[in-house]
Amino acid sequence: MTADDSFGRLDDDDFPAYTMGRAAEMLGTTQGFLRAIGEARLITPLRSAGGHRRYSRYQLRIAARARELVDQGTPIEAACRIVILEDQLEEAQRINTEYHEGVRPSGAADA
């Protein structure tokens, strides 16, 4: 991937554009927090060629939600589980809406 390719992907929510240090700075948290939510399998950062963690904007939004819950006193493992369940609920609601609107849900198999 060239530098021009990377620049064009900055609008992509799934592009791993942020280093661990930058991600922690943006979230106002520590690198240890990011490692902890990674160990809890809330997010799995991609790795650079040198093995460094890289985060996408989508992953930063997930991490920010977990941080909100932890800041409110929720244990990190519970916060991660809550965020996972919230994400699953949002996906189920999206599929349900598509179904009721007569639109075939994304990822649905042919009958």
Side-chain angles (χ1 to χ4, degrees):
M1 179 180 298
T2 66
D4 289 337
D5 292 338
S6 295
F7 183 72
R9 296 197 59 201
L10 291 177
D11 288 338
D12 182 352
D13 266 0
D14 295 318
F15 181 69
Y18 304 98
T19 63
M20 177 179 267
R22 181 67 179 129
E25 181 183 311
M26 290 170 68
L27 295 171
T29 190
T30 65
Q31 292 181 14
F33 175 79
L34 291 172
R35 282 188 207 94
I37 63 174
E39 289 170 11
R41 298 182 184 199
L42 178 61
I43 58 175
T44 303
L46 293 172
R47 298 282 182 152
S48 69
H52 300 283
R53 291 173 180 91
R54 305 284 296 193
Y55 297 88
S56 68
R57 286 189 295 185
Y58 173 75
Q59 290 172 323
L60 294 183
R61 283 195 301 274
I62 296 291
R65 176 64 181 134
R67 181 171 183 254
E68 285 176 23
L69 293 167
V70 169
D71 287 350
Q72 294 170 4
T74 306
I76 196 162
E77 297 82 13
C80 290
R81 185 67 183 138
I82 290 168
V83 173
I84 289 167
L85 290 170
E86 287 175 342
D87 195 50
Q88 289 173 344
L89 176 61
E90 183 179 323
E91 176 68 6
Q93 289 172 329
R94 182 192 61 77
I95 290 169
N96 192 38
T97 298
E98 288 179 2
Y99 175 78
H100 286 291
E101 291 175 351
V103 176
R104 184 178 180 169
S106 308
D110 287 327

